[in-house]
């Protein structure tokens, strides 16, 4: 445990993991009543990566691989971590947390470990919490990993959700830095729990809202009111980005990358249009990976990081929204 001296926060490394197995729109069209054209037009997704249970791939494996990758990038070992935070809605067990098992897999004991459930906001929530903890001076280094294996939580015969999701992990290693101005310079964590029936995963029939007719999908699979979530997301994306710019006094020109949750290309493009974000500053990978929930923003961050598109001294904004409903922003001086 570090001395309690306030400090800044540096991203020491990033990592990610996706399974090799691809699920294309053509594969889906062979399973449910849909088409490549419909999916591309309405979502921008062409294919997603999915776990291959025949190869023994699990959500835990994916999250662990993502965090290992970030540790390698930072040139650190698991034993260098004081804490592991894992964000997911598809953790293997309710107890222990996946974070404990991920920490064990990278040999991080006795580092603390806990899970965050904030759906697609999970990675951004976790980065905000981790930054705040390092900033107090109590923790020197925290491993953050957002990971969802959404294909384990969608009914493959339900075309309204099966087309959207893929499996991925994104991770970052945060360490203390002497520069107090470095790290997360503005953050928001928000939720409106009254809206939860728009997006949820029931465990048992009594979890269903009283006025809801069950679609017949099995328990443990995602229920989503796509139109409601779409309306919410279009408004929130714009609001969250504009609020972050106002709060920091920064303009679009001051931001090197807007790292947005990959939910639907139309939702991202609507924010780009309304705020006037240039395409080269808004990374898009939804065409190749779909919506990977808590994995999404971390996966984008790592791909940008490895491509050399996020450099020391630059400012980036991460934004996400998801089940809860939740929404979150995180502005970083890298
Ligand atoms: N293939 C073909 N047709 C489909 C379909 C599919 N996979 N899914 C729905 N349809 C049909 C509907 O039955 C409907 O038919 P109808 O007009 O005869 O009733 C029609 O397409 C339009 O459905 P609608 O739900 O209005 O489509 P949409 O334009 O809203 O697109 C989503 C659906 C899910 C792509 C869109 O609502 C969305 O992206 N919402 C946000 C979801 C999200 O981001 N979730 C994650 C949050 S982190």
């Amino acid at each position: 445990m570090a001395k309690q001296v306030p400090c800044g926060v540096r991203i020491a490394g990033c990592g990610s993991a996706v399974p090799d197995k691809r699920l294309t729109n053509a594969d889906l069209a062979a399973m449910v009543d849909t088409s490549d054209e419909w999916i591309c037009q309405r979502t921008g997704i062409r294919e997603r990566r999915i776990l291959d249970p025949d190869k023994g791939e699990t959500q835990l494996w994916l999250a662990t691989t993502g965090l290992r990758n970030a540790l390698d990038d930072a040139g650190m070992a698991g034993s260098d971590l004081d804490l592991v935070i894992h964000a997911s809605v598809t953790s293997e067990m309710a107890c222990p947390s996946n974070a404990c098992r991920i920490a064990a897999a990278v040999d991080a004991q006795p580092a603390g470990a806990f899970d965050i459930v904030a759906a697609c906001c999970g990675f951004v929530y976790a980065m905000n919490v981790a930054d705040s903890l390092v900033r107090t001076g109590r923790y020197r280094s925290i491993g953050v990993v957002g990971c969802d294996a959404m294909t384990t939580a969608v009914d493959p015969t339900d075309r309204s959700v099966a087309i959207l999701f893929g499996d991925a992990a994104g991770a970052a290693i945060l360490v203390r830095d002497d520069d107090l101005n470095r790290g997360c310079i503005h953050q928001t964590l928000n939720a409106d729990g009254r809206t939860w029936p728009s997006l949820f995963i029931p465990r048992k029939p009594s979890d269903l809202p009283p006025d809801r007719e069950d679609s017949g999908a099995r328990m443990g699979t995602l229920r989503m009111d796509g139109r409601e979530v779409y309306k919410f997301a279009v408004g929130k994306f714009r609001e969250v980005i504009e609020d972050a710019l106002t709060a920091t006094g920064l303009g679009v020109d001051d931001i090197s990358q807007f790292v947005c949750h990959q939910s639907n290309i139309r939702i991202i493009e609507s924010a780009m249009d309304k705020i006037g974000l240039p395409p080269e500053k808004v990374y898009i990978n939804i065409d190749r990976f779909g919506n990977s929930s808590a994995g999404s923003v971390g996966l984008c961050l790592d791909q940008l990081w490895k491509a050399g598109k996020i450099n020391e001294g630059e400012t980036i904004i991460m934004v996400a929204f998801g089940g809860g409903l939740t929404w979150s922003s995180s502005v970083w001086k890298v």
Side-chain angles (χ1 to χ4, degrees):
M1 181 110 13
K3 278 192 285 173
Q4 291 177 34
V5 179
C7 61
V9 181
R10 179 169 64 87
I11 299 175
C14 291
S16 61
V18 292
D20 288 337
K21 190 170 178 184
R22 289 177 155 81
L23 181 70
T24 64
N25 291 348
D27 296 333
L28 279 163
M31 292 155 60
V32 291
D33 181 13
T34 191
S35 66
D36 177 49
E37 191 192 1
W38 193 96
I39 301 172
C40 282
Q41 268 180 9
R42 304 279 177 138
T43 70
I45 302 169
R46 294 187 179 280
E47 62 176 35
R48 347 66 206 114
R49 301 299 184 91
I50 60 169
L51 292 181
D52 187 347
D54 292 342
K55 288 194 341 212
E57 293 175 352
T58 62
Q59 192 273 351
L60 182 62
W61 163 79
L62 196 60
T64 305
T65 308
L67 184 64
R68 273 210 183 99
N69 194 247
L71 282 166
D72 287 349
D73 187 51
M76 289 167 63
S79 54
D80 296 323
L81 297 176
D82 293 333
L83 192 62
V84 173
I85 305 178
H86 167 249
S88 184
V89 293
T90 50
S91 282
E92 311 270 328
M93 291 190 263
C95 180
S97 69
N98 256 21
C100 287
R101 297 170 75 198
I102 295 164
V106 300
D107 248 342
Q109 54 282 351
F114 63 89
D115 282 1
I116 284 181
V117 177
C120 302
C121 282
F123 183 78
V124 183
Y125 261 52
M127 289 290 278
N128 286 345
V129 170
D131 174 88
S132 303
L133 291 173
V134 173
R135 207 165 273 284
T136 62
R138 289 178 198 269
Y139 299 87
R140 280 167 315 190
S141 52
I142 301 183
V144 171
V145 54
C147 176
D148 268 311
M150 288 304 289
T151 54
T152 64
V154 296
D155 180 343
T157 65
D158 179 354
R159 70 176 182 174
S160 69
V161 286
I163 57 151
L164 290 174
F165 294 97
D167 304 335
I173 309 296
L174 308 188
V175 299
R176 56 177 296 144
D177 192 88
D178 291 338
D179 181 355
L180 280 162
N181 297 317
R182 199 167 187 186
C184 180
I185 56 172
H186 171 78
Q187 60 160 281
T188 55
L189 301 173
N190 287 107
D192 181 352
R194 296 170 301 180
T195 56
W196 72 265
S198 303
L199 192 62
F200 66 103
I201 303 175
R203 283 198 170 131
K204 50 191 186 308
S206 61
D207 289 339
L208 295 166
D211 59 341
R212 181 74 59 94
E213 267 184 43
D214 195 6
S215 64
R218 59 174 199 269
M219 288 294 122
T221 58
L222 185 78
R223 311 294 204 275
M224 182 181 75
D225 182 336
R227 281 181 208 183
E228 271 307 303
V229 176
Y230 187 89
K231 268 193 283 170
F232 164 82
V234 163
K236 273 294 172 235
F237 249 35
R238 177 186 186 174
E239 183 188 312
V240 160
I241 294 173
E242 286 180 339
D243 285 355
L245 292 174
T246 306
T248 52
L250 298 170
V252 170
D253 290 349
D254 300 313
I255 308 297
S256 68
Q257 288 293 332
F258 293 83
V259 190
C260 302
H261 170 47
Q262 307 287 303
S263 53
N264 182 321
I265 191 74
R266 293 188 294 149
I267 294 174
I268 301 173
E269 283 177 351
S270 150
M272 288 167 69
D273 258 15
K274 287 179 180 140
I275 310 172
L277 306 181
E280 66 277 11
K281 290 191 176 193
V282 184
Y283 185 64
I284 307 278
N285 67 12
I286 191 168
D287 51 329
R288 291 165 288 145
F289 301 102
N291 176 349
S292 54
S293 184
S296 153
V297 174
L299 177 64
C300 291
L301 182 70
D302 181 47
Q303 291 179 341
L304 284 163
W305 183 264
K306 301 268 168 63
K309 299 225 167 110
I310 296 178
N311 300 296
E312 189 170 339
E314 291 178 351
T315 306
I316 63 166
I317 298 186
M318 293 182 267
V319 288
F321 69 91
L325 295 172
T326 51
W327 60 102
S328 184
S329 66
S330 194
V331 184
W332 281 70
K333 181 92 188 301
V334 180

